[in-house]
Amino acid sequence: MASAEPLALVADLPTDRGICVDVDGQRVGLFKVGRRVYAIESMCPHAGAFLHTGYLEGRVIRCPMHGWDFDVKTGKSPTVDGAEVKTFNVKVKKGAVYLV
């Protein structure tokens, strides 16, 4: 899944949570951590809450519904054994975010 059009501008991404974009019918959460941008499947596999609305601390996003957490770089939970969400490769070009 790639995006020909930019999904967002890096400057518009918050630092304490993510934003949700639709890519080919799938909700993708975009997260800015320092100078890097990461993209993960936005729906929590536990109860279906949207991860992009959770609280971002470092590279870890915490689900707002039940607190499951996921590393936005790897998609893996640091605390819930076996819990994982899909990750997507991101490219930033001239301040715009694309999936590659």
Side-chain angles (χ1 to χ4, degrees), residues 68-69 76-84:
W68 279 31
D69 54 357
K76 296 179 181 182
S77 173
T79 61
V80 181
D81 195 34
E84 189 172 353

Side-chain angles (χ1 to χ4, degrees), residues 41-51 63-70 84-85:
E41 177 181 9
S42 190
M43 190 164 290
C44 181
H46 174 237
F50 292 118
L51 294 173
C63 178
M65 188 175 286
H66 293 112
W68 279 31
D69 54 357
F70 300 90
E84 189 172 353
V85 292

Side-chain angles (χ1 to χ4, degrees), residues 26-70:
Q26 184 165 6
R27 292 180 180 210
V28 175
L30 298 178
F31 301 89
K32 180 169 60 173
V33 179
R35 302 183 71 123
R36 307 266 331 208
V37 177
Y38 299 97
I40 63 171
E41 177 181 9
S42 190
M43 190 164 290
C44 181
H46 174 237
F50 292 118
L51 294 173
H52 69 276
T53 64
Y55 180 72
L56 183 66
E57 186 174 318
R59 284 192 347 218
V60 176
I61 186 72
R62 185 169 307 280
C63 178
M65 188 175 286
H66 293 112
W68 279 31
D69 54 357
F70 300 90

